[in-house]
């Protein structure tokens, strides 16, 4: 029974990390006036998906097969967020003359385009996604997000391996 609470604790830590990251994003948005670009919003969605999956796994306390299923779902969400963050970091490091022009806002695209086309346009990036308005230790928000997603991928692999080793009974 101790191993079941240990796996719940591991998933719970992942949930807490997601909540703290989302809280910090809201702090930056509402208290530091850092409006999120469309790629930032997609990264928030990935953190939200990770948080929900971590919470469900923590409440469930899965055994071997469940741990593997949660591991795959968590891994997919983390890799999706990592890919979006990597795209934004790439845009931020383009030479100024190669940065794409600013496009319409996400709200406009949600109402104007089908979902597939809206996702394609957001992932293509725009000038606002290439702007760096805030840094900490010389890293942008997108770069910190990329680091966090890499750490989540490593953590998910670790927590899945530890939880999946538990006896099936």
């Amino acid at each position: 029974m101790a191993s079941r609470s240990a796996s719940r604790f591991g998933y719970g830590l992942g949930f807490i990390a997601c909540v703290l990251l989302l809280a910090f994003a809201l702090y930056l948005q509402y208290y530091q006036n850092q409006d999120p670009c469309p790629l930032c919003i997609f990264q928030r969605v990935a953190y939200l998906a990770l948080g929900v999956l971590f919470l469900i796994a923590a409440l469930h306390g899965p055994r071997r097969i469940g741990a593997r299923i949660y591991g795959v779902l968590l891994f997919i969400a983390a890799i999706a967020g990592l890919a979006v963050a990597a795209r934004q970091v790439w845009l931020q490091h383009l030479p100024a003359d190669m940065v794409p022009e600013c496009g319409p806002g996400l709200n406009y695209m949600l109402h104007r385009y089908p979902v597939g086309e809206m996702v394609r346009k957001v992932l293509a990036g725009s000038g606002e996604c290439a702007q760096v308005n805030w840094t900490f230790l010389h890293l942008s928000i997108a770069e910190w997000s990329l680091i966090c997603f890499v750490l989540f991928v490593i953590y998910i692999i670790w927590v899945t391996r530890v939880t999946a080793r538990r006896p099936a009974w």
Side-chain angles (χ1 to χ4, degrees):
M1 198 61 153
S3 62
R4 186 170 212 174
S5 54
S7 73
R8 287 182 178 198
F9 180 76
Y11 290 121
L13 281 179
F15 170 71
I16 290 169
C18 290
V19 168
L20 291 174
L21 286 167
L22 287 168
F24 186 67
L26 293 174
Y27 166 78
L28 287 175
Q29 180 177 351
Y30 292 108
Y31 292 99
Q32 297 295 316
N33 299 316
Q34 297 296 320
D35 289 330
C37 71
L39 289 176
C40 292
I41 292 170
F42 275 31
Q43 290 169 64
R44 288 183 188 187
V45 170
Y47 285 125
L48 182 63
L50 281 171
V52 168
L53 288 168
F54 273 126
L55 177 62
I56 293 169
L59 294 173
H60 178 213
R63 298 187 193 279
R64 284 184 183 177
I65 295 172
R68 290 182 181 132
I69 292 169
Y70 284 119
V72 167
L73 295 174
L74 286 162
F75 187 79
I76 290 169
I79 290 295
L82 188 147
V84 173
R87 175 72 175 164
Q88 186 170 6
V89 168
W90 177 77
L91 285 170
Q92 289 177 346
H93 290 283
L94 283 176
D97 62 331
M98 294 187 68
V99 173
E101 292 182 22
C102 288
L106 185 59
N107 194 32
Y108 174 82
M109 288 190 282
L110 281 170
H111 291 90
R112 183 79 177 162
Y113 301 115
V115 174
E117 187 174 344
M118 181 267 308
V119 169
R120 186 184 61 75
K121 286 184 179 291
V122 168
L123 293 179
S126 68
E128 69 177 315
C129 294
Q131 294 174 356
V132 177
N133 299 322
W134 183 93
T135 61
F136 178 68
L137 298 176
H138 303 290
L139 296 174
S140 69
I141 297 170
E143 290 166 329
W144 280 110
S145 186
L146 180 63
I147 291 167
C148 289
F149 280 119
V150 168
L151 292 174
F152 269 122
V153 167
I154 294 166
Y155 184 73
I156 290 163
I157 291 169
W158 177 79
V159 80
T160 301
R161 291 188 73 197
V162 168
T163 306
R165 282 193 207 145
R166 289 188 18 227
W169 40 272

